[in-house]
Amino acid sequence: MMTIKAFTLVSAVQRELLMGDKERINIECVECCGKNLYVGTNDCFIYHFLLEEDRSLPAVPATFTATKQLHRHLGFKKPVNELRAASALNRLLVLCDNSISLVNMLNLEPVPSGARIKGAVTFALNENPVNGDPFCVEVCIISVKRRTIQVFLVYEDRVQIVKEVSTSEQPLAVAVDGHFLCLALTTQYIILNYNTGVSQDLFPYCSEEKRPIVKRIGRQEFLLAGPGGLGMFATVAGISQRAPVHWSENVIGAAVCFPYVIALDDEFITVHSMLDQQQKQTLPFKEGHILQDFEGRVIVATSKGVYMLVPLPLEKQIQDLLASHRVEEALVLAKGARRNIPKEKFQIMYRRILQQAGFIQFAQLQFLEAKELFRSGQLDVRELISLYPFLLPTSSSFTRSHPPLHEYADLNQLTQGDQEKMAKCKRFLMSYLNEVRSTEVANGYKEDIDTALLKLYAEADHDSLLDLLVTENFCLLTDSAAWLEKHKKYFALGLLYHYNNQDAAAVQLWVNIVNGDVQDSTRTDLYEYIVDFLTYCLDQQLVWTYADWVLQKSQEVGVQVFTKRPLDEPQNCFNPDDIISCLKKYPKALVKYLEHLVIDRRLQKEEYHTHLAVLYLDEVLRQRVPCSGQEAEASETQAKLRRLLQKSDLYRVHFLLERIQGAGLPMESAILHGKLGEHEKALHILVHELKDFAAAEDYCLWRSEGRDAACRRRLFHTLLTLYLRAGPSANELTMAAVDLLNRHALEFDAAQVLQQLPGSWSVQLLCPFLTGAMRDSVHTRRTTQVALGLARSENLLYMYDKMKLKGSAIRLSDRKRCQLCQNPFGEPVFVRYPNGGLVHAHCAASRHMDPGAPSPDTRT
């Protein structure tokens, strides 16, 4: 059982004040209404006291001072059994000798009318009345008549019975709410609707073994003494919405002071939580026989004295629980306090409690629970960061909450220097800050959060450090830079400079790393990273500053700062001529850049094309010098040269042709002659010097690409003529001619070819050529016939339309007007359009000469 000090027992009315030295006088009942305390005794007296509460000392429980106002004898010889105040009527209802009398609350005088309710064993006031009259109270009594309940309306000076209900057993105790009665019968508890007569059995109990308890604790809810020492809750629907509380088997009284149920037995007062059903406090109290609650006040009494159970403020109870690290109980109690505290005050209090609970869980390394409590309590995350030395920026104006949320000066005190615990706490803070930095929790102090997160990442050598710096962040430059330098995170420091628009400082720092001036192994490809960074850098001066450095490291990679510029960058951002001037010291880079201009960007400038061709040519000539291991590279460069010479039309052909003369580059010479239209020379080189017949055929296809069929036919006939000039004895050229004819039969004029061929060639040798030529000839003839037939058909249709138009009569009069000039016809000569419109012959002729003239129809 986890105890808590929820109440303090304070004396309210001393024995001497009540009865002096009279030993036989005993207290039978009490009633409290505001500051008015009424006590009924066994000698038929009513005492009226005025209670004054003193809460002047916050750390000390309240004290009470009772001032006796007066006392009155009721004129009977029986004890006063019960007292109930009806403040709306200024009346006190007094049960004595089975009769309920009405007396004035101030002077205790009976009402002049003498109104009373007779035959009552016990009674209860309906605190949820169904009668709408504010000047009466509803009273439910257990009648002296067997098994009878009666309902009365009590006014200032009269009473009126409104209902009488019979029960199956003798009722012993009653509580009322609206139309519902909660009754303790001889063997069971029931709920009875006195308006409809419908009853609901609750649970059995034995009235001979224990005293029944029936108490209304809230709207449509009752507290009952159940079997097995259970305090049971029941609603008017006959169900329980709360778990029962465990109290003594000998309970003689119960009261509710939310969130507690208070029980009284022969020796103790016990306090039980309605929230978790646990017993929270035990107070020794012997000879007690009265326990009642009055509008938040709890009064207990022995036969000789009256005492107050003063609740400690809920906040004090909660803080005591937190101080004992009983987090769950504190939170349950705080939630339960919601109904008794104004909303805004409760929210402020509850958030603080959640934050305190979070730090308790954090100190116990219960990080998941702590995180949830911090979130729910909307913790200013700087409270947590401030536990970690040096994490908050030096410029931060944060001061911890007062009173403090925890008892720790810093993380060292919390972990008592345990490095493993400290590492766990730092990992938690990293995770928590990363989660909250993009939420509303971070609003107003994102700089503090991101700077602390950067410091944690750097200290732990965490991969997320770079992710933080390359995305949107609010790291403070001064603090962060010093911390990164301290932990030798120079690459990350460069990213920080870049994010703060200090690109020059960033690049210089990275260059120092590559040069070995400072040590940082974060990126093994840092050189390539710098090149990529400069490629997308918009600062031209910065690019020019480090252009030589990147090119000296690697011409092929360094030139990318110029060749891979962003596509959306303005074309005039870097002048190609300036770049070419810069690259003259770096021949490989210069070739790459010119390839970029000519091939990738397709700039139509003769200078670039010629320059690239010359560089290719120089490289080819250099590599032709016998040198081991150069053949493959020479072949690649030569292939690039040939492609450029074939594809480009912008270079200076004559200039290159002069450079090639005598260099032993027949293929390149052939391409250049072809560019000049000197096809026979080009083909002569390919056939007689290179003897590359496939290349000769490709040449014909290349030079005729995009031109008409006649051009292609002339090239192939030129090639065939070169083959045939060698004479029949040149078998190699003869076979090349045969292969040319058989492969490209459609490219030749068959009749012309047959006139050129030697008579010694057999038909079988030229079978594929002849077959293809015949098929092409037949196809051409048939296509022509089809076209002719279609033209004839169309002509026939037009003739038919013309005959139809001529067959209909046309009436011409002086009323008819030309549809073009709107003048009348002077002679019977006209032109008629298919839509029936008539125009002058000369108007029709002028219309055909001037297409913009108005027309009566689109067809004539």
Side-chain angles (χ1 to χ4, degrees), residues 774-788:
M774 287 296 294
R775 183 179 292 113
D776 182 58
S777 177
V778 171
H779 174 71
T780 302
R781 182 171 63 84
R782 289 176 177 173
T783 302
T784 304
Q785 288 175 344
V786 170
L788 180 61

Side-chain angles (χ1 to χ4, degrees), residues 194-484:
Y194 71 80
N195 188 46
T196 62
V198 176
S199 66
Q200 169 81 43
D201 294 343
L202 297 178
F203 51 84
Y205 84 105
C206 181
S207 60
E208 295 179 357
E209 296 179 1
K210 64 171 57 182
R211 176 179 174 181
I213 296 175
V214 180
K215 183 169 185 61
R216 179 184 182 273
I217 63 170
R219 187 176 179 82
Q220 298 187 343
E221 189 174 15
F222 304 94
L223 173 64
L224 314 171
L230 294 178
M232 306 287 288
F233 299 93
T235 67
V236 295
I239 60 175
S240 179
Q241 295 178 330
R242 307 177 195 267
V245 296
H246 292 263
W247 56 28
S248 166
E249 290 276 1
N250 304 314
V251 167
I252 56 178
V256 171
C257 182
F258 192 85
Y260 299 110
V261 171
I262 304 160
L264 174 68
D265 63 20
D266 296 335
E267 296 185 348
F268 299 99
I269 299 170
T270 55
V271 180
H272 309 262
S273 172
M274 297 171 66
L275 304 174
D276 60 10
Q277 293 74 51
Q278 299 298 311
Q279 183 173 327
K280 300 297 182 181
Q281 188 179 7
T282 301
L283 296 167
F285 193 75
K286 293 186 177 182
E287 298 181 359
H289 72 106
I290 297 172
L291 172 61
Q292 287 182 274
D293 57 269
F294 305 96
E295 299 174 352
R297 285 182 175 176
V298 181
I299 295 179
V300 290
T302 63
S303 59
K304 305 299 182 180
V306 180
Y307 303 84
M308 306 290 291
L309 270 178
V310 181
L312 269 69
L314 282 174
E315 291 186 53
K316 177 68 168 61
Q317 297 180 42
I318 294 167
Q319 292 303 321
D320 289 345
L321 288 171
L322 290 174
S324 303
H325 293 181
R326 291 156 64 181
V327 173
E328 291 300 326
E329 289 183 77
L331 293 177
V332 169
L333 182 57
K335 289 178 184 176
R338 184 193 306 262
R339 60 185 284 181
N340 294 341
I341 301 175
K343 183 177 179 180
E344 290 186 6
K345 182 181 178 182
F346 171 79
Q347 288 177 342
I348 295 171
M349 180 196 78
Y350 190 59
R351 278 199 295 267
R352 179 176 173 82
I353 292 168
L354 289 171
Q355 294 167 10
Q356 291 178 276
F359 278 107
I360 292 171
Q361 298 286 32
F362 174 75
Q364 296 173 352
L365 307 186
Q366 302 295 322
F367 296 127
L368 289 177
E369 294 82 354
K371 179 171 69 173
E372 191 58 40
L373 289 166
F374 288 152
R375 280 184 171 178
S376 301
Q378 301 175 19
L379 175 72
D380 181 341
V381 72
R382 295 176 296 178
E383 288 278 0
L384 183 59
I385 297 173
S386 68
L387 276 174
Y388 297 71
F390 310 115
L391 286 195
L392 279 174
T394 53
S395 60
S396 176
S397 59
F398 171 75
T399 55
R400 288 186 180 178
S401 174
H402 184 78
L405 295 172
H406 53 81
E407 58 189 10
Y408 306 106
D410 57 24
L411 197 63
N412 293 316
Q413 180 190 351
L414 187 147
T415 60
Q416 298 181 346
D418 189 319
Q419 294 301 313
E420 184 179 352
K421 289 182 179 179
M422 196 173 294
K424 289 180 179 179
C425 291
K426 289 181 178 179
R427 286 196 295 272
F428 164 71
L429 183 61
M430 276 190 275
S431 170
Y432 184 63
L433 292 182
N434 187 52
E435 289 182 22
V436 303
R437 62 185 296 263
S438 58
T439 65
E440 293 182 359
V441 174
N443 288 346
Y445 33 86
K446 292 184 177 181
E447 294 85 356
D448 294 354
I449 292 176
D450 282 1
T451 303
L453 191 57
L454 177 141
K455 291 180 178 180
L456 288 168
Y457 284 156
E459 185 180 25
D461 194 20
H462 201 283
D463 294 340
S464 298
L465 173 63
L466 304 184
D467 296 331
L468 173 66
L469 290 171
V470 298
T471 55
E472 183 184 15
N473 67 80
F474 297 88
C475 299
L476 294 175
L477 179 61
T478 304
D479 273 77
S480 301
W483 193 272
L484 291 173

Side-chain angles (χ1 to χ4, degrees), residues 679-810:
H679 303 303
E680 190 168 350
K681 286 184 180 181
L683 290 171
H684 187 275
I685 293 171
L686 295 173
V687 172
H688 293 290
E689 291 186 30
L690 290 175
K691 297 189 182 301
D692 191 342
F693 308 129
E697 293 181 22
D698 291 340
Y699 176 88
C700 295
L701 296 173
W702 164 56
R703 292 310 299 161
S704 62
E705 187 177 357
R707 302 188 181 185
D708 57 14
C711 176
R712 179 172 293 193
R713 179 166 292 181
R714 282 195 301 272
L715 288 172
F716 274 100
H717 274 284
T718 302
L719 180 57
L720 178 63
T721 301
L722 283 174
Y723 286 154
L724 294 177
R725 275 184 197 161
S729 59
N731 291 333
E732 188 178 12
L733 294 179
T734 300
M735 290 310 300
V738 172
D739 291 340
L740 178 66
L741 289 170
N742 289 339
R743 274 199 298 270
H744 300 281
L746 301 181
E747 309 299 344
F748 291 95
D749 183 341
Q752 184 180 344
V753 170
L754 291 175
Q755 292 177 4
Q756 289 181 264
L757 294 180
S760 60
W761 287 16
S762 67
V763 173
Q764 184 177 1
L765 186 65
L766 295 172
C767 183
F769 167 70
L770 295 173
T771 302
M774 287 296 294
R775 183 179 292 113
D776 182 58
S777 177
V778 171
H779 174 71
T780 302
R781 182 171 63 84
R782 289 176 177 173
T783 302
T784 304
Q785 288 175 344
V786 170
L788 180 61
L790 291 173
R792 286 174 176 170
S793 298
E794 188 177 12
N795 185 53
L796 187 61
L797 290 173
Y798 278 113
M799 290 177 64
Y800 172 72
D801 290 341
K802 184 177 180 181
M803 292 296 295
K804 283 178 64 177
L805 293 172
K806 285 184 175 181
S808 58
I810 298 172

Side-chain angles (χ1 to χ4, degrees), residues 578-636:
D578 295 338
I579 297 174
I580 291 171
S581 298
C582 171
L583 297 179
K584 285 180 179 179
K585 297 179 290 184
Y586 311 101
K588 292 182 180 179
L590 180 57
V591 170
K592 292 283 187 184
Y593 183 68
L594 287 171
E595 287 176 345
H596 167 68
L597 296 179
V598 172
I599 299 171
D600 298 335
R601 291 178 58 182
R602 299 181 181 179
L603 294 185
Q604 304 297 303
K605 192 171 183 180
E606 174 271 325
E607 181 182 351
Y608 302 151
H609 288 248
T610 302
H611 197 169
L612 180 59
V614 169
L615 290 176
Y616 280 157
L617 180 58
D618 290 345
E619 182 67 15
V620 169
L621 294 176
R622 186 184 67 81
Q623 293 170 352
R624 288 177 66 82
V625 178
C627 183
S628 60
Q630 295 290 331
E631 291 300 321
E633 188 175 355
S635 174
E636 181 183 355

